Amino acid sequence: MAREISLDIVICTYNNAPMLARTLEAISRQKVSEGIGWRVLVVNNNCTDETPQVVEQFARAGRFDVRMVCEPEQGLTAARVCGVKNTRGEWVAFVDDDCLLAENWIEEAASFASGHPACGAFGGQIILQWEQSPPPYVLNFPYAYAGAYHGETAKRRQWLAGAGMVVRRAALASTGWIEKQFLSDRTGARLVSGGDVEIAMRVAARYEVWYNPACKIRHVIPPRRTSRAYLRRIVFGLGASRHNSSALAWRGSYPAWCAYAAACSVGFWAMGVRQLALEIAGQRAGVDPGVAFSPLLGWWSAMWSMMRMDATERRQLIGCAARRGD
């Protein structure tokens, strides 16, 4: 290790105590060298289950430094802001409450952070771990479950998935995200997304953002998340997220954005038609109209929401993550 690194792992959770226990158990098995200062903060986002007892159990065991704070505003973005404000490490890692860190994850994260002084954020491999074999139609949409594999070589990226995203605190502060967030994220059982993409894009406008394959996380997918109804909801949310994150990097006017967004919606429609055609032809299993056109419906929903947005806030949102010099 070239120099000492301090890392805070922030786990935001909502009524997922059994899986949170597995996440903390995996963290307890970390093999970390001296010179790496790390601790864990669990953000309790209005949990009504046994989350406090789970955190207390690990705190009493003393295998690693873990504590809990409560965030009354519902939603993943609010919980992440709370986590950042209640930690002090040079780096902040956002680890979901359904993810299991490899035993060398902290070691590899600290090593990468130490060796990349211009890096503002990085993420690693996200390996999907199905608790039961998923239906064939689910395997057609791996992106909907946040799987991430971009090869075995570290490389620059423009955005990162939220699970296992590691952000330099100074970089995050410089973007203004701590004070003002534009995109919502998962809120209770509501499957919206985009908050993690906003963080990565706003950091990438000012700093290097990297993919580090040495940091490996297993994302546990329970059977209840493989139903058609769930897939429709999450793909709808990803369509809305795609619209909003694209607007963050837009360098033109709002009327020009509307024209571009309308043109893109035609592409989403064509994609849905193609998926249905493949199903009819028997080349792909299980695609239905609800799934095929959910990205389009999500995109349209986000377009409508932006039209209704306060004009001042809309001007702040559009282009706020455009790269410097563009």
Side-chain angles (χ1 to χ4, degrees):
M1 190 65 57
R3 64 183 181 85
E4 291 190 0
I5 292 290
S6 60
L7 172 69
D8 283 299
I9 297 176
V10 173
I11 304 173
C12 303
T13 188
Y14 173 71
N15 285 350
N16 199 20
M19 189 61 227
L20 174 64
R22 293 177 62 185
T23 298
L24 294 175
E25 180 61 34
I27 290 175
S28 74
R29 295 193 294 268
Q30 292 293 299
K31 299 176 181 178
V32 186
S33 302
E34 294 184 4
I36 302 174
W38 65 282
R39 61 205 60 81
V40 176
L41 177 70
V42 175
V43 181
N44 180 336
N45 199 196
N46 298 312
C47 296
T48 57
D49 61 1
E50 294 76 28
T51 291
Q53 291 89 328
V54 168
V55 177
E56 182 181 0
Q57 174 187 348
F58 280 90
R60 284 201 311 266
R63 289 183 286 176
F64 61 97
D65 185 346
V66 58
R67 62 189 178 93
M68 185 184 78
V69 296
C70 296
E71 171 50 56
E73 181 180 346
Q74 197 69 54
L76 181 54
T77 295
R80 282 176 173 159
V81 173
C82 174
V84 171
K85 289 182 175 179
N86 283 276
T87 54
R88 292 292 180 268
E90 179 186 3
W91 292 85
V92 180
F94 296 116
V95 174
D96 289 353
D97 63 359
D98 55 2
C99 289
L100 308 177
L101 302 184
E103 291 185 357
N104 65 343
W105 190 91
I106 292 175
E107 183 78 17
E108 293 292 349
S111 177
F112 191 86
S114 178
H116 293 76
C119 177
F122 62 92
Q125 292 189 43
I126 305 175
I127 303 162
L128 301 183
Q129 179 174 311
W130 308 97
E131 290 191 328
Q132 292 182 9
S133 297
Y137 61 81
V138 168
L139 298 178
N140 295 328
F141 297 88
Y143 68 89
Y145 296 91
Y149 178 72
H150 307 291
E152 294 297 327
T153 304
K155 61 191 68 177
R156 297 277 297 274
R157 296 281 296 169
Q158 293 188 6
W159 62 272
L160 302 167
M165 181 192 300
V166 186
V167 186
R168 188 188 300 272
R169 184 180 301 276
L172 189 60
S174 73
T175 68
W177 177 86
I178 299 174
E179 292 75 29
K180 177 64 176 178
Q181 312 86 41
F182 293 105
L183 305 188
S184 61
D185 219 313
R186 188 175 67 244
T187 304
R190 182 168 171 256
L191 299 179
V192 293
S193 62
D196 48 1
V197 176
E198 177 184 357
I199 293 171
M201 289 182 66
R202 289 175 70 171
V203 171
R206 296 166 176 263
Y207 297 85
E208 294 179 4
V209 168
W210 285 78
Y211 162 73
N212 174 27
C215 289
K216 298 179 182 180
I217 284 180
R218 286 178 290 146
H219 184 199
V220 180
I221 312 297
R224 61 180 174 80
R225 295 183 61 189
T226 61
S227 69
R228 289 182 184 274
Y230 182 93
L231 185 58
R232 293 187 195 106
R233 291 164 57 207
I234 198 167
V235 173
F236 178 96
L238 289 171
S241 171
R242 179 81 174 271
H243 172 278
N244 292 336
S245 59
S246 297
L248 294 178
W250 183 253
R251 299 190 298 273
S253 65
Y254 175 60
W257 167 255
C258 288
Y260 172 79
C264 285
S265 68
V266 176
F268 278 106
W269 175 83
M271 182 177 68
V273 171
R274 178 177 179 275
Q275 289 177 348
L276 289 177
L278 288 172
E279 178 188 8
I280 294 170
Q283 298 180 28
R284 179 172 291 185
V287 176
D288 62 25
V291 174
F293 291 106
S294 283
L296 172 62
L297 296 177
W299 182 277
W300 279 347
S301 174
M303 283 182 65
W304 175 242
S305 295
M306 186 171 287
M307 289 179 186
R308 299 170 60 195
M309 187 181 293
D310 176 79
T312 299
E313 183 171 3
R314 189 168 56 216
R315 283 193 298 270
Q316 293 174 341
L317 183 155
I318 293 178
C320 75
R323 289 176 174 269
R324 289 184 171 183
D326 286 352

